[in-house]
Amino acid sequence: MSASSAKLANRILGGLVVGLIAGLITIAVGRAFPEFLSGAQWVSKEIFDPAGQIFLRLLFFVIIPLVFASLAVGVVQLGRLDKLGPLAGKTFGLFLLNMVIGVALALVMMDVVKPGHALSVEKREELRSSYTSDISQHIETREKQQAVTLSTIVEMFMPKNLLGAVTGQTRGSIGEVLPLILFALLVGAVGVGLADAKRAQLISSLELVNELMTGIVHYALRLAPYAVPLMIYSVVVRTGIEILLALGLFVTGVLGVLALHLFGTMSLWLKFMTKRSPLAFFKIVKPVLITAFSTSSSAATMAASIAVCKEELKVSPSVSGFVIPLGATMNMSGTALYEGCVVLFVAQVFGPDLAIGQQMVLLLLSVLSAVAVAGIPGGSLPLIAGLCMTFGIPPEGIAIILGVDRLLDMARTTVNVGADLVTAVIVNDSMPPESEGLEPVHERAQT
């Protein structure tokens, strides 16, 4: 984490504390003077919420171009996978399995703990009615998706009018993300087969779009230290301390399932897919995990990861040079896990909960969108907002978790890096000696 990034994170956390304390003081004073509380609630709705919306709308601005460019360039950059043989097959298979298991654990945890239900029905109704003016539109969209058939799946992913579906019908709608994801994957798949010069041009163009959208996200994050306390204060004075209990359960649940996936799932992988001791492995990689947690960046940790792989874990240079950089781009189990948790949490707060069929779709989309996350702190927020829109959930609801996003970002980055190291070891131990000599893959790294 750079000095400026650390300073921004501290300011956001500080803003969270200020907003919470101010909200609690307002509630305490409001018990003695109900008129004061009513006035604070009016100010929150009419002034603080619109001010916080400036931050959220900047994030919403980049959803469509960011999803398309990130997914398309990710596919194109993979190049001719058939030339990499079994190394690529095992690596991508483990990446996919890792992320699917992570999201599945997250969904199970959220369905069992249900942190959003820590709010009473009355408080959830108050929050729903005050948080967005067009919530009826979101609920109507959700109800239309209840019956999942082959026809509805085709319609969801392949509308007759791609541009119309993606751009949305009104000023208040973001547009559909599912067709955009499919289109981005198709563009990337075709781009892989282009001549080298044209493929380089395509990659350059898509990366330029990525950089532009990332710059807008940076602008939004500069507003976060001011927007977060306003939005948290607004939520607290309107819902009371119940929101703190719900948020606390959410954070505890997410941290718990992240730890379970890293030290539970990955330990089982090490035990049954290699002959290595999980305890010895995590003792060796402990410095790398600490670096990942403190920097909140896979990119900043990549050099240390490769060094530990080669020197301490005795992974071959070709495998470590391929798996670690590519894993920093694609193996986002912690991020995918977190995205699933946030979408379900917001759904639980605003109600009704997602059905099992919808959660299966969420699992798939969380895996895909995690790969497209921009490599900056807070880069997952636009993608999470897009997922919320996909299921008819008010994307404004992500404001509830903004104050704790940075802490959970550090934790999920640690899981991402740890899973990369485990994958490198498994691939290395399962590869024949003749796999040596493959050139390392250099990819963009993400948080």
Side-chain angles (χ1 to χ4, degrees):
M1 186 189 305
S2 64
S4 59
S5 179
K7 184 178 180 180
L8 177 62
N10 291 334
R11 291 176 62 193
I12 294 175
L13 290 175
L16 169 66
V17 174
V18 170
L20 288 176
I21 294 177
L24 293 175
I25 292 175
T26 301
I27 291 175
V29 175
R31 290 180 177 177
F33 304 96
E35 297 82 4
F36 175 78
L37 180 59
S38 298
Q41 291 173 340
W42 182 90
V43 170
S44 297
K45 181 178 180 180
E46 301 298 331
I47 299 177
F48 290 171
D49 278 354
Q53 282 294 318
I54 297 175
F55 166 72
L56 290 175
R57 296 301 172 90
L58 282 176
L59 294 177
F60 297 164
F61 272 3
V62 306
I63 290 176
I64 299 302
L66 183 62
V67 170
F68 171 75
S70 296
L71 277 177
V73 77
V75 175
V76 177
Q77 283 181 328
L78 298 180
R80 297 291 304 278
L81 298 184
D82 56 303
K83 293 184 178 180
L84 299 178
L87 174 63
K90 292 180 180 179
T91 300
F92 287 108
L94 289 172
F95 284 175
L96 177 61
L97 181 61
N98 175 41
M99 289 189 284
V100 168
I101 292 176
V103 181
L105 290 174
L107 299 184
V108 171
M109 183 277 293
M110 291 297 295
D111 285 331
V112 172
V113 178
K114 296 185 181 299
H117 290 183
L119 289 169
S120 65
V121 176
E122 294 77 12
K123 292 296 183 181
R124 277 185 277 163
E125 286 294 334
E126 291 178 15
L127 201 58
R128 288 172 56 191
S129 62
S130 61
Y131 233 77
T132 179
S133 59
D134 58 347
I135 192 167
S136 58
Q137 173 188 341
H138 298 297
I139 294 177
E140 181 181 353
T141 302
R142 174 97 59 87
E143 291 174 346
K144 290 180 180 179
Q145 297 173 342
Q146 292 293 332
V148 179
T149 65
L150 180 59
S151 296
T152 58
I153 292 176
V154 172
E155 184 63 30
M156 287 166 60
F157 282 92
M158 305 182 73
K160 295 179 181 179
N161 184 350
L162 174 65
L163 186 60
V166 170
T167 56
Q169 302 295 323
T170 65
R171 291 171 55 88
S173 64
I174 294 177
E176 299 179 33
V177 181
L178 296 183
L180 182 68
I181 290 176
L182 177 59
F183 182 65
L185 294 176
L186 290 173
V187 170
V190 174
V192 169
L194 295 176
D196 291 344
K198 291 184 177 180
R199 184 154 56 91
Q201 290 179 345
L202 178 60
I203 291 175
S204 177
S205 300
L206 293 172
E207 287 184 336
L208 178 59
V209 175
N210 261 324
E211 291 181 17
L212 291 173
M213 297 306 105
T214 299
I216 295 177
V217 175
H218 275 301
Y219 283 146
L221 291 176
R222 290 181 183 180
L223 298 177
Y226 310 100
V228 166
L230 296 180
M231 291 186 290
I232 291 297
Y233 174 84
S234 178
V235 171
V236 171
V237 298
R238 281 195 250 165
T239 61
I241 61 175
E242 287 186 33
I243 190 63
L244 303 183
L245 174 59
L247 194 59
L249 285 175
F250 172 74
V251 172
T252 302
V254 173
L255 291 176
V257 77
L258 284 170
L260 174 64
H261 186 52
L262 177 59
F263 299 109
T265 304
M266 295 298 100
S267 292
L268 292 175
W269 280 26
L270 288 168
K271 182 177 179 62
F272 293 105
M273 296 187 189
T274 74
K275 297 180 180 180
R276 302 179 187 239
S277 164
L279 185 61
F281 172 86
F282 283 110
K283 184 177 181 179
I284 291 174
V285 304
K286 179 180 177 181
V288 179
L289 298 182
I290 293 175
T291 301
F293 184 83
S294 60
T295 62
S296 190
S297 171
S298 298
T301 315
M302 189 185 302
S305 297
I306 293 177
V308 167
C309 272
K310 293 179 180 178
E311 300 169 8
E312 303 291 336
L313 298 174
K314 307 303 179 184
V315 175
S316 68
S318 61
V319 172
S320 60
F322 177 83
V323 174
I324 298 300
L326 196 59
T329 300
M330 297 190 64
N331 196 21
M332 297 290 158
S333 59
T335 302
L337 183 157
Y338 175 69
E339 290 181 356
C341 287
V342 174
V343 173
L344 281 192
F345 180 59
V346 177
Q348 289 172 3
V349 170
F350 286 91
D353 297 343
L354 296 183
I356 296 298
Q358 293 173 309
Q359 291 190 30
M360 294 301 99
V361 176
L362 175 60
L363 186 152
L364 172 63
L365 296 182
S366 295
V367 170
L368 289 175
S369 61
V371 178
V373 169
I376 57 174
S380 62
L381 295 176
L383 282 302
I384 294 174
L387 288 176
C388 287
M389 285 298 299
T390 299
F391 295 98
I393 304 167
E396 295 87 350
I398 66 173
I400 300 174
I401 57 90
L402 288 177
V404 297
D405 178 73
R406 187 59 176 180
L407 171 63
L408 298 177
D409 189 8
M410 299 165 71
R412 63 183 182 262
T413 300
T414 305
V415 175
N416 291 339
V417 172
D420 291 343
L421 294 168
V422 172
T423 302
V425 167
I426 295 174
V427 171
N428 180 81
D429 291 3
S430 63
M431 292 296 295
E434 56 267 22
S435 63
E436 293 293 334
L438 288 171
E439 295 183 2
V441 172
H442 298 287
E443 298 282 357
R444 63 186 175 93
Q446 300 196 18
T447 300

